[in-house]
């Protein structure tokens, strides 16, 4: 209940809770210079503000440099962590991205799983081996989400160029 699933534009001056903030974006603009987008992805039972808030509060100069380096293209994926799979979370992000987006991902905990499935989906087609862990009726939804994720990420030519995973359970 702390999050409303979606991609949010962040500001360099503060990082308040994103739900109801008016910063949610259905689609992100393409980078005019072709540069990458930085996307923060939080972990289980938390939201972006509680995960990354101390970075804003204790290191505003670092945040300012990040916003400068990325030309203000700094976003967060706020996502449910128990009601949706990491695959579904990655699909939420892909659907908001512009075609040809280049991503740099900063993740914590379960957010690293979201980034991992996204990076793998951008990298190639699904094989029988990729789908094997999702065999059976119990995983039908995850199989479908994975197929959609791969199809949409590749149709948009999304590239994960860099990924930093902190405390990822992988």
């Amino acid at each position: 209940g702390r999050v409303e699933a979606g991609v949010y534009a962040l500001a360099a001056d503060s990082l308040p809770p994103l739900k109801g903030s008016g910063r949610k974006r259905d689609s992100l603009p393409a980078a005019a210079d072709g540069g990458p987008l930085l996307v923060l992805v939080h972990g289980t039972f938390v939201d972006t503000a509680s995960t990354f808030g101390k970075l804003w509060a204790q290191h505003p100069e670092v945040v300012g440099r990040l916003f400068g380096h990325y030309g203000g293209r700094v976003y967060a994926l706020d996502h449910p962590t128990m009601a949706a799979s990491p695959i579904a979370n990655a699909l939420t992000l892909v659907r908001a991205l512009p075609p040809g987006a280049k991503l740099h991902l900063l993740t914590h905990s379960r957010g690293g799983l979201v980034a991992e499935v996204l990076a793998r989906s951008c990298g190639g087609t699904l094989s029988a081996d990729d789908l094997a862990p999702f065999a059976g009726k119990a995983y039908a939804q995850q199989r479908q989400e994975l197929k959609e994720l791969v199809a949409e990420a590749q149709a948009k030519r999304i590239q994960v160029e860099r990924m930093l995973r902190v405390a990822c359970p992988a």
Side-chain angles (χ1 to χ4, degrees), residues 31-145:
D33 64 359
L37 312 173
L38 175 62
V39 181
L40 283 58
V41 188
H42 65 79
T44 306
F45 297 127
V46 291
D47 60 2
T48 299
S50 63
T51 299
F52 297 101
K54 284 187 178 179
L55 179 60
W56 265 251
Q58 296 178 2
H59 304 284
E61 69 287 348
V62 172
V63 172
R65 285 196 311 266
L66 283 172
F67 273 79
H69 178 78
Y70 287 98
R73 297 180 304 267
V74 181
Y75 301 94
L77 172 64
D78 239 17
H79 57 94
T81 61
M82 299 306 289
S85 72
I87 301 164
N89 300 148
L91 191 54
T92 297
L93 175 57
V94 165
R95 288 181 172 155
L97 293 172
K102 297 174 185 170
L103 299 179
H104 292 181
L105 303 169
L106 173 58
T107 73
H108 180 256
S109 189
R110 181 188 185 277
L113 299 177
V114 176
E116 180 78 19
V117 72
L118 176 57
R120 288 178 181 239
S121 296
C122 292
T125 59
L126 287 174
S127 69
D129 288 341
D130 293 325
L131 292 172
F134 303 99
K137 290 171 65 173
Y139 297 104
Q141 180 176 345
Q142 287 82 7
R143 272 194 315 276
Q144 183 58 37
E145 290 169 346

Side-chain angles (χ1 to χ4, degrees), residues 94 97-101 121-125 147-159:
V94 165
L97 293 172
S121 296
C122 292
T125 59
K147 289 175 184 179
E148 289 175 27
L149 177 61
V150 169
E152 292 189 36
Q154 296 210 356
K156 285 187 168 185
R157 303 172 326 281
I158 306 300
Q159 298 174 39

Side-chain angles (χ1 to χ4, degrees), residues 10-16 23 56 63 67:
L10 300 182
D13 60 340
S14 67
L15 183 57
R23 295 177 183 243
W56 265 251
V63 172
F67 273 79

